[in-house]
Amino acid sequence: MPFGAGFDGHGNVHFKLWAPDASEVSLKLRQDGAETLLPMRGTGGGWFATALSKVNAGARYAFRIDKKLDVPDPASRFNPDDVHGMSEVIDPHAFEWPDAEWRGRPWEEAVIYELHVGTFTPEGSFNAAIARLDYLARLGVTAIELMPLADFPGKRNWGYDGVLQFAPDSSYGRPEDLKSLVAAAHARGLMVFLDVVYNHFGPEGDYLHAYAEHFFNPAHKTPWGAAINFDGERSRAVRDFFIHNALYWLDEFHFDGLRLDAIHAIADDSRPDLVTELASAVRAGPGRSRHVHLVLENDRNESWRLIREAGTRPRQATAQWNDDFHHPMHVLATGEDAGYYHDYHDRPAWWLGRALAEGFGYQGQKSGYREGKRRGEPTRGLPPTAFVNFLQNHDQVGNRALGERLSALVPAHVLKLEVVCMLLAPAIPMLFMGEEFAASAPFLFFCDFGADLAPKVAEGRRAEFAAFDRFREPGRLAQIPDPGAEPTFLASKLDWNEMADPAHSDWHSLYSELLELRRRLVVPHLYDDGDRYKATFAVDDHHLGVDWVLGDGAQLHLRANFSGEEWKGMRHAPGEVIWPGAAGNDASADQASLAPWSALWTLETVRD
């Protein structure tokens, strides 16, 4: 890397810092019980550097700015004493990887399981997560996606307040523990993705303003203040910082892919923009020799970022999280119509049908939630695997005031129908940790900021929900958990003992059965030969039919009844029945009706 502390392979460690607003920079080094302060020389362009011999892995260091402020390395590989402490010198070559033969998995095989390391297990560590990998592989998961790991202030956080982008947070373990988790996943055939945040830094522990104001561009305003400088004066070093961060996680930690958080919030008017340049670097680098997948969160629904080259190779991103699938599903299940759900409440089955058949629901239509602005682009030519569908994720659960999961909000027969629709559809499915056994633990918003910031966060959280009807009664706002209180974090931990209860294990059995059906009967037909994918949908009130022509010419058919009445006169679904009905009715391909809250899946394969 052109940043931070790096071994050169000849017994030397090179220390580099981009500090264009500093007059001088010194290296504060602590090793073998002694602490020294060493000058760093300016090398031009705002860079300061020094190279030292006989520096051991494990030594601590910081940069002293203009003789008065000690700061951690912004490219620190590890900060064991949190974001305000000294950085640790890490030898990236010390870990012996056992996965030399691993080349990843084709995207069509992906079944993603999003998890938060701190609440996934009682211990909340990388090492503890390893013990659950066999369970995930047996369930039918093929990829785990870790919520952001970049070092954040305090001992608990969702991860979106990271300030040291290269340092896995020490509350989960050491860098070698994270590498052990990735290696153990690969040994079980599991891909590992990492969620990365390139649209802002967290509100505590970001020292860049003190010596590198050009890291930010005040010409662009964001919800977090001045935007990260990707397109202004002296932005090249900033762009390189984040592009190398992506390559670092993929190369040094052997991650199989990245999920890029909220790229619509990255302010960048340059061409190519950061995401495009980053994707090109990934495709030309680690993506040349193994399967590497880039997944976007992008409220703009920009189809051009998902275009395929000849065959299945993405030109830029592999896929995008599809809110246009989640939102109508949520409306159908709950009837909620506040906020962005209002855009789907008038005809949710239609929006769902379009999302299943075409990917994006909004392909240039006006969005009432966005004050009439047009949203999205046509998805013509994109395969269904360019979209990641989900019923729950960290946002959709955790951004509720009380963090309720769908299993706590809707009847079981309604949720079962939606699970059946998601897991057998051609789009890539994603689960949120614990949903497969209807975990009772909520997923609440939690953090661990300092004494000055913590009360403001708690006050802001409650103010955010003050206008909602359910919180207008006196005393109701006080029921919203304090994000900074440790019990809020502890309440969000999964209780794996629930798996012994039939009320939870039955859900697990359903998910496992559906994922096995997906593996055997759906995935083999998803490999795209270029342009064979086609889909149509038809909607009658809350009755939905979707028909796909898949990559090898096989045809997949869904008939779903999202109502409490029998669907009489159901559209014919040709082929072999692969799922008879979420409500337990004896459905058949020839029947003319479908029971309330149930689904029928059929498949026509191509005969030789």
Side-chain angles (χ1 to χ4, degrees), residues 463-477:
E464 181 181 349
F465 295 100
F468 285 66
D469 289 340
R470 65 185 294 196
F471 294 108
R472 286 178 178 169
E473 297 179 14
R476 293 298 297 273
L477 278 177

Side-chain angles (χ1 to χ4, degrees), residues 82-377:
D82 209 8
V83 298
H84 302 292
M86 299 180 74
S87 303
E88 179 177 321
V89 174
I90 297 292
D91 181 356
H93 305 294
F95 185 83
E96 295 186 11
W97 284 96
D99 63 353
E101 302 303 316
W102 175 259
R103 292 295 179 267
R105 299 183 65 156
W107 178 244
E108 290 81 5
E109 299 176 3
V111 174
I112 305 170
Y113 190 93
E114 186 192 22
L115 66 89
H116 178 271
V117 173
T119 55
F120 181 55
T121 64
E123 301 86 352
S125 68
F126 297 131
N127 286 331
I130 293 174
R132 290 287 168 188
L133 294 178
D134 287 330
Y135 159 84
L136 293 177
R138 290 194 300 268
L139 175 64
V141 166
T142 62
I144 60 174
E145 181 177 305
L146 307 181
M147 288 175 64
L149 303 177
D151 205 348
F152 50 75
K155 297 180 179 179
R156 51 193 181 271
N157 197 285
W158 277 14
Y160 299 91
D161 293 311
V163 292
L164 298 177
Q165 298 292 335
F166 293 77
D169 195 89
S170 59
S171 62
Y172 304 142
R174 293 185 54 83
E176 52 268 31
D177 298 330
L178 175 56
K179 293 176 181 180
S180 294
L181 171 59
V182 175
H186 290 170
R188 292 159 174 81
L190 297 171
M191 298 181 283
V192 189
F193 303 154
L194 178 64
D195 194 343
V196 292
V197 183
Y198 295 159
N199 50 50
H200 75 289
F201 288 92
E204 180 185 334
D206 173 18
Y207 290 94
L208 288 165
H209 289 280
Y211 58 87
E213 278 290 354
H214 282 90
F215 232 94
F216 304 92
N217 185 355
H220 296 298
K221 301 298 183 184
T222 76
W224 309 283
I228 297 174
N229 180 21
F230 293 124
D231 60 358
E233 182 184 358
R234 307 184 82 167
S235 61
R236 184 66 259 170
V238 182
R239 293 170 73 93
D240 287 344
F241 181 89
F242 286 95
I243 290 170
H244 278 278
N245 182 258
L247 296 173
Y248 162 83
W249 291 118
L250 296 170
D251 280 333
E252 198 157 306
F253 286 85
H254 291 200
F255 279 103
D256 300 281
L258 303 174
R259 182 258 188 187
L260 305 184
D261 177 68
I263 68 165
H264 55 268
I266 296 175
D268 184 3
D269 293 332
S270 60
R271 293 294 178 268
D273 65 8
L274 175 77
V275 175
T276 300
E277 185 178 350
L278 183 153
S280 296
V282 169
R283 301 295 175 206
R288 292 181 62 186
S289 58
R290 58 188 174 96
H291 292 289
V292 174
H293 308 297
L294 295 178
V295 181
L296 307 179
E297 181 191 21
N298 185 9
D299 187 65
R300 294 194 182 104
N301 280 6
E302 294 169 314
S303 299
W304 64 271
R305 295 189 184 274
L306 305 172
I307 291 174
R308 269 49 182 164
E309 302 286 6
T312 61
R313 182 177 173 85
R315 181 181 300 171
Q316 188 178 133
T318 312
Q320 177 178 315
W321 278 22
N322 195 4
D323 283 342
D324 283 356
F325 171 85
H326 171 270
H327 295 350
M329 274 294 207
H330 190 87
V331 172
L332 285 165
T334 67
E336 294 180 3
D337 65 355
Y340 42 63
Y341 295 131
H342 189 74
D343 275 354
Y344 306 84
H345 85 288
D346 57 339
R347 45 177 185 163
W350 186 91
W351 287 108
L352 174 60
R354 193 179 203 196
L356 284 167
E358 302 177 19
F360 293 145
Y362 277 85
Q363 300 181 29
Q365 289 74 27
K366 293 181 179 179
S367 163
Y369 172 69
R370 296 163 184 81
E371 300 177 339
K373 295 180 180 178
R374 293 190 180 276
R375 173 177 177 245
E377 299 169 354

Side-chain angles (χ1 to χ4, degrees), residues 468-529:
F468 285 66
D469 289 340
R470 65 185 294 196
F471 294 108
R472 286 178 178 169
E473 297 179 14
R476 293 298 297 273
L477 278 177
Q479 297 176 1
I480 298 176
D482 179 356
E486 186 177 22
T488 303
F489 167 69
L490 296 176
S492 301
K493 285 181 175 282
L494 294 181
D495 179 2
W496 290 96
N497 293 322
E498 291 181 333
M499 287 285 290
D501 183 343
H504 296 279
S505 62
D506 287 351
W507 280 104
H508 177 272
S509 297
L510 174 68
Y511 275 78
S512 182
E513 178 183 2
L514 287 166
L515 289 176
E516 174 60 16
L517 286 174
R518 178 183 184 86
R519 184 191 67 81
R520 289 193 298 107
L521 301 178
V522 179
V523 170
H525 306 294
L526 295 182
Y527 300 96
D528 184 13
D529 66 358

